[in-house]
Amino acid sequence: MTQPSAPQPSVPQSSAPQPSVTEPSVGQPAGREAGAPAPRAGRRGRGRLAGLAGRAVVLALGVFFALLPFVWMARTAFGPSQSALSLTANPIPESVSFHAFQRAFEEAHLGRALVTGIVVSLAILVLQLLTAIPAAYVFAWVPFRGRAAVFGLVLATLLVPSQVTAIPNYVTISALGFANTRVGLVLPFMTSAASIFLLRQYMTTIPVSVLEAARMDGLGLLRTLRTIVVPLSMPAIATVSVFSFLLSFNEYLWPLLEARSPEIHTPPLALVTMMNSPSMGLPDFAVLSAGALIISLPSLVVFLVAQRRLTAGLTGTGVGG
Amino acid sequence: MRAKMRKRGERGDRGDERAVSAGASERSGRPRYEDGRAASAAPKRTRNIAGVGGWRVGALLFPALLGLTVFVLGPALVSAFTAGTDKTLTGPSFQWVGTANLREAFHDPDFGKSVVNTLLYCVLTVVPAVVVGLALALATQKVVRGRGALRLALFLPVSANLVAIAVVFAYMFDPSPKGLVNTFIGWLGAQPRNWLGDESTSLPVVALVGGWRLTSFVFVVYLAGLTAIPASVYEAADVDGIRGFARLRHVTLPLLAPTTIFLAVFTTILTLQTFETVAVLTDGGPFRSSATIVYYIFEVGFTGSFRIGYASALALLLILGIVLIGIVGSVLGRRARERAARIDETGAGLGADGDPGLALAGVGAGPGIAAEAAR
């Protein structure tokens, strides 16, 4: 079910009368026994049919527009060269090739950018986990006077738009001598209040008895964290990791300010640079699409792989009631 | 601040530890400790079950607080100070100018234009996104076969790289008559347009890109909200003969109201900070017709004469606006949760766990926080 190649999922016409998750047939009056087409013929039948048709239309349109940019991106990337003068709206490419991908890699130095993007995002992720897990543990289980105030302060940092901190951060990073370096791309994101918050919410669900037992067994702080808290919080850690990676990999404003030299451009920056200064003449949309597709892939892969776990992790953070 | 915290931690370590353990064991039905000090008055969270205290509390918190202080809180305060100066990024010296920057902002036609643009952008994205996202979430509910693939398709825009997608939209809206959108409207008999190069359409097209992604986000959050409605509520409604559209109007929507309010507030705050799409698609043009507040702040602070003093003042105004919307949303959200709790007579506890201010806390974070804060 995590295969991306299902652009036309079955629209609900056939399946809608079946019982749904939120509406189990258990306990429903006999007249609404789901599945059988017979009850639909009744007075309420026409209304239900109209509702079904409405749903089908909404879903078909929704899926169409959700996928259109992706489909168009792929169609253009695999098709022949296209400039503003030779645009086409023909959904079937005249010829299919990987040529545009090759050129995107060469012209936008996408290979280099991808390495930078992945390394920077992973470094941010590791730092965030190292800083957030201990802090989340304290906010969940270690009381001290003023904890509520400190936690409130942590949450308040979520209010500050990144554009506001960008200016002083640029000054700080420059003063530390990290301007225009990969370290400078990582440091400002070394911790995340959002990660602390999510992890803390999840950690509060660890049973008291487990922590008590750990304590009676004489487990030290670090061992408790390593052998009890972290393994038990794995779903939340996975969720936080995925969001962290996606956010850092797609970050645009900070690299735009910080990474002045093309050698340390992140993927989005490399793509925009290529768009604004094509190597010759007009931008080639095939190459741009190939580039867009390439830089979208890491996020999509992470998202697809993590999709199921993500929902599980979210449920654990208190969403599941 | 740190020193104080540590001291308090130490005290807690010595003083409260045993009492706290006693409280915990009381809860789990085990015998109390000998000193028998009553800890029952203390709520669960204040019991030091972990038995961690002293310098170790500080050590655990230090890395996170250091990062947040140096890179978020500090900069925010610095920014607030810089807002009162005429500092530039390039000039070495600067002077305190008091409220001059703020006064300038109120008379700056370019800032005024960016505020109008941003509000227009908000309306053009938030309203359709919430309506369509809700419709999609409701429509997927009863789908059984292909539900996974369906959700995946509708999730995809959220996971998209905004810059990459903006690039794709840029040539879908190419001014050439052979561009995708121009070809389509050609079928309908309309003349091709220079979408991004026309003052009247540049902002709506940028909003379309933002709205496309926002709709998917709204869908995800509504989906979480819908799954949280207990089946028993629907069963009760069914027994009472409330079905179909009536059920949607009198049961589902009121129960989703807290989610809706959260989404309205959160997506408004999110769209107030629109930057990437504008930077990639239009550079704010033509004739400033698509320049948003944040794009203007970027222009003032990082291009031209690099006036970061003035840029900080503009950013300060933006934060004030965001906080204001957040407070209003927080109040509305609490009311909606109370109403939802009354509708949910089955006592499943829906909407009971509303933490005021959490909606605020979701700013800038991924859908996960959003879903969490939506509760």
Side-chain angles (χ1 to χ4, degrees), chain A residues 1 3 6 9-10 12 14-16 18-24 26 29 32 44 48 55 58-59 62-63 65-70 72-73 76 84-85 87-89 131 134-135 137-145 147 150 153-155 157-161 163-165 167-169 172-173 187-188 190-191 193-194 196-198 200-201 204 208-209 211-212 215-216 221 225 243 247 250 252-253 256-257 268 271-272 275 285 288-289 292 295-296 299-300 303-304 307 314 317-319 321, chain B residues 5 8-9 11 17 21 24-25 27-28 30 33 44-52 56-57 60-61 63-65 67-68 70-73 75-76 78-79 89 135-136 138-150 152-157 159-161 163-165 167-169 171-172 174 176 178-180 183 212 224 226-229 231 234-235 238 243 247 273 275-276 279-280 294 298 302 308 311-312 315 319 322-323 358 360-369 371-372 375:
Chain A
M1 87 143 248
Q3 281 150 2
S10 69
S14 57
S15 50
Q18 292 170 22
S20 74
V21 165
T22 49
E23 207 183 5
V26 187
R32 283 201 71 190
R44 281 210 319 272
R48 282 184 71 93
R55 271 197 205 98
V58 166
L59 287 177
V63 169
F65 283 109
L67 294 182
L68 179 66
F70 293 106
W72 204 247
M73 172 161 53
T76 314
L85 301 174
L87 265 183
T88 170
T131 55
Y137 179 63
V138 169
F139 288 127
W141 287 108
V142 184
F144 60 85
R145 213 187 300 168
R147 185 177 70 169
V150 177
L153 211 59
V154 168
L155 289 185
T157 62
L158 287 168
L159 271 180
V160 185
Q163 300 87 10
V164 173
T165 55
I167 304 165
N169 277 349
T172 311
I173 291 294
L187 268 190
M190 65 174 270
T191 191
I196 296 176
F197 175 70
L198 259 185
R200 178 226 173 236
Q201 293 303 94
T204 53
V208 180
S209 52
L211 291 173
E212 270 187 318
R215 201 169 161 212
M216 291 197 177
L221 171 61
L225 272 179
F243 283 132
L247 282 178
N250 294 327
Y252 182 66
L253 177 66
L256 181 68
L257 302 175
L271 182 70
V272 173
M275 181 171 82
F285 295 129
L288 274 181
S289 306
I295 73 165
S296 303
S299 310
L300 290 186
F303 185 77
L304 293 181
Q307 213 224 109
L314 277 184
T317 52
V319 178
Chain B
M5 244 166 45
R8 283 174 180 164
R11 223 201 47 188
E17 199 180 299
S21 309
S25 51
R27 262 164 46 88
S28 53
R30 289 182 209 148
Y33 285 95
K44 179 188 151 201
R45 292 277 162 75
T46 63
R47 290 176 186 151
N48 196 346
I49 284 135
V52 180
R56 284 177 296 178
V57 179
L60 288 174
L61 282 177
L65 293 185
L68 290 177
V70 173
F71 293 111
V72 187
L73 276 181
V78 168
S79 203
L89 201 59
L136 287 172
L138 288 172
T140 21
Q141 255 209 310
K142 290 193 174 178
V143 180
V144 174
R145 230 177 315 147
R147 182 206 277 261
L150 189 61
L152 195 61
L154 295 171
F155 278 177
L156 275 183
S159 69
N161 182 314
V163 170
I165 285 301
V167 168
V168 175
F169 270 89
Y171 65 73
M172 280 167 61
D174 196 90
S176 145
K178 288 173 173 173
L180 183 66
T183 305
W212 173 78
L226 279 173
T227 3
I229 297 179
Y234 286 137
E235 282 159 25
D238 203 80
R243 297 182 186 100
R247 192 183 78 178
Q273 302 173 47
F275 172 75
E276 279 106 329
V280 174
V294 171
F298 169 78
F302 290 97
I308 59 176
S312 300
I319 296 193
I322 289 175
V323 169
L358 277 194
L360 276 176
V363 183
I369 316 285
E372 168 61 45
R375 312 307 337 284

Side-chain angles (χ1 to χ4, degrees), chain B residues 176-311:
Chain B
S176 145
K178 288 173 173 173
L180 183 66
V181 175
N182 274 340
T183 305
F184 180 71
I185 65 163
W187 288 343
L188 302 176
Q191 289 298 309
R193 304 192 68 125
N194 184 358
W195 296 98
L196 290 165
D198 186 326
E199 270 183 85
S200 59
T201 49
S202 59
L203 189 67
V205 171
V206 175
L208 186 75
V209 182
W212 173 78
R213 193 158 190 255
L214 207 59
T215 305
S216 173
F217 170 74
V218 169
F219 167 77
V220 174
V221 177
Y222 266 129
L223 218 53
L226 279 173
T227 3
I229 297 179
S232 52
V233 172
Y234 286 137
E235 282 159 25
D238 203 80
V239 169
D240 292 345
I242 305 171
R243 297 182 186 100
F245 187 70
R247 192 183 78 178
L248 179 69
R249 215 187 125 197
H250 298 292
V251 180
T252 315
L253 288 185
L255 283 175
L256 282 178
T259 311
T260 306
I261 287 177
F262 159 74
L263 275 172
V265 173
F266 182 80
T267 55
T268 303
I269 291 175
L270 216 58
T271 49
L272 282 179
Q273 302 173 47
T274 302
F275 172 75
E276 279 106 329
T277 42
V278 177
V280 174
L281 286 169
T282 65
D283 281 330
F287 306 112
R288 314 212 60 79
S289 59
S290 60
T292 55
I293 296 176
V294 171
Y295 189 77
Y296 185 55
I297 293 176
F298 169 78
E299 273 188 320
V300 169
F302 290 97
T303 64
S305 46
F306 298 101
R307 297 180 59 199
I308 59 176
Y310 186 44

